[in-house]
Amino acid sequence: MKQSTLSEVKSAVTPRATLLVIGVVALQLLFVVSYVGALHEPRLKDVAFGVVAPPAAVGQTVQRLDELPGSPLDPRALPDEAAAWKQIENRDIDGALVVRPDGTTDTLLVASGSGRTLAVALDSLTGEVLGGQGRTARVVDVSPASSQDFNGLSSFYLVVGLCVGGYLCASILAISAGARPANPTRAATRLGTMLLVALAGGLGGAIIVGPVLGALPGSVWALWGLGALIVFAVGAATLALQGLFGVIGIGLAILLVVILGNPSAGGAFPAPMLPPFWEAIGPALPPGAGTWAARSITYFDGNSMTSSLLVLSAWAVAGVAVTMLAAVLRQRRAAEPDSPGEAS
């Protein structure tokens, strides 16, 4: 009886199962490393920042801000307050200081729609700098987050949900009838199904955050289109990775989207507050591109989202191409004879 039980255990713990368990543990630890590493100590670094001041003082003000310890700001002189507003609305800069020479109270322009934590951090930093000069700043929110969008995080949460739906649906499609696409027809069917799921998921997400919850005031139609693109891009990429690497590809999709993508997306802390590595990779991954575009739609009239849409489109197109190519190559390999003698 004991020998039979031992043999059953040995047969259950196959090398493949062992490797998969090791992979899960690795993903678990990478999850902790990525989130804690990216988010445990947010600080401002080279934030695009405008300065409006009289000609005699603007150069000195820019220099003073540029020489702050740790380089929290990347200041640049702007001609007037209207230009500062326009650049914030276009998402070219994240804030601006308008110096009022006729008094001791200046104006700090921010945009909490990009993330309230960044606006608060700029307010705190500016207060310290001006306080040393006996001055204060009145904060004006150029693109304020909705009162029902706490800390401007709803766009990020929407994108996270859409990404989860994308890779979960693709994973189910991929493993429902085998670990790899059997042929191009099956791969095309899965991609077609993924497109339908993306359209449904994108519409559902836009309706929930808009008319149902009132969390995001942006266009439902625009958020629907963006949501569908996000779901399909992540789903197609997951199918592509699974087609190349089998079940391991699903783990790689989680690595890209969840472990690398979510902490670097600029959700909890906007990109200028992230460590350099995470700030650099965020815009190139679906969660980061999606979060930026969702905030642009919601609070900035769709400004400055072309690059994000191109990134998401690139993931979608590459996912489709690699998924189909992997299926075609696999079918060709399956059709090849095992030996020259079998060809005849």
Side-chain angles (χ1 to χ4, degrees):
M1 181 68 68
K2 291 183 178 180
Q3 184 176 0
S4 175
T5 303
L6 182 60
S7 63
E8 290 177 359
V9 172
K10 288 182 177 179
S11 63
V13 185
T14 62
R16 177 184 175 85
T18 302
L19 289 175
L20 289 176
V21 170
I22 293 173
V24 169
V25 173
L27 285 176
Q28 171 185 300
L29 297 178
L30 287 172
F31 191 101
V32 175
V33 169
S34 65
Y35 277 75
V36 177
L39 308 176
H40 77 288
E41 192 180 6
R43 61 179 63 182
L44 298 175
K45 180 67 175 178
D46 294 328
V47 178
F49 193 76
V51 176
V52 178
V58 65
Q60 182 181 5
T61 304
V62 169
Q63 182 179 2
R64 184 184 304 115
L65 295 176
D66 191 40
E67 293 176 350
L68 290 174
S71 186
L73 302 177
D74 178 19
R76 70 283 310 268
L78 298 178
D80 51 41
E81 186 172 350
W85 274 74
K86 185 174 182 59
Q87 289 203 23
I88 291 175
E89 291 173 338
N90 289 338
R91 308 198 75 180
D92 296 325
I93 59 176
D94 296 298
L97 177 65
V98 181
V99 178
R100 308 290 185 186
D102 53 348
T104 60
T105 301
D106 299 325
T107 300
L108 174 65
L109 304 179
V110 297
S112 61
S114 290
R116 186 171 180 274
T117 52
L118 178 57
V120 171
L122 287 175
D123 183 20
S124 176
L125 176 65
T126 305
E128 293 178 7
V129 173
L130 294 179
Q133 306 168 19
R135 303 181 66 84
T136 59
R138 180 177 65 93
V139 179
V140 176
D141 202 337
V142 175
S143 298
S146 166
S147 61
Q148 300 183 59
D149 180 12
F150 178 73
N151 277 356
L153 291 174
S154 296
S155 299
F156 172 60
Y157 293 144
L158 169 65
V159 171
V160 169
L162 295 172
C163 288
V164 169
Y167 69 72
L168 283 182
C169 181
S171 301
I172 292 171
L173 291 172
I175 65 177
S176 60
R180 293 177 183 272
N183 52 52
T185 300
R186 180 177 296 173
T189 300
R190 290 172 176 173
L191 287 168
T193 303
M194 197 69 245
L195 177 59
L196 295 177
V197 170
L199 291 171
L203 177 59
I207 291 175
I208 289 172
V209 300
V212 174
L213 298 179
L216 296 180
S219 165
V220 171
W221 300 107
L223 288 175
W224 178 18
L226 174 64
L229 179 58
I230 292 171
V231 175
F232 186 76
V234 173
T238 302
L239 288 173
L241 290 169
Q242 191 275 339
L244 291 174
F245 304 107
V247 175
I248 295 175
I250 297 174
L252 294 176
I254 294 174
L255 174 66
L256 287 171
V257 176
V258 179
I259 294 176
L260 294 178
N262 286 353
S264 63
F269 297 109
M273 301 184 71
L274 296 175
F277 170 77
W278 299 99
E279 181 183 8
I281 67 172
L285 297 174
T291 299
W292 179 275
R295 283 175 169 165
S296 289
I297 290 172
T298 302
Y299 296 119
F300 298 92
D301 296 324
N303 294 328
S304 188
M305 56 185 290
T306 301
S307 60
S308 296
L309 294 180
L310 289 175
V311 167
L312 292 169
S313 299
W315 279 93
V317 171
V320 170
V322 173
T323 298
M324 295 304 301
L325 180 61
V328 170
L329 293 178
R330 183 172 185 272
Q331 185 179 52
R332 289 181 179 177
R333 287 197 299 269
E336 291 177 355
D338 295 334
S339 64
E342 294 183 8
S344 60

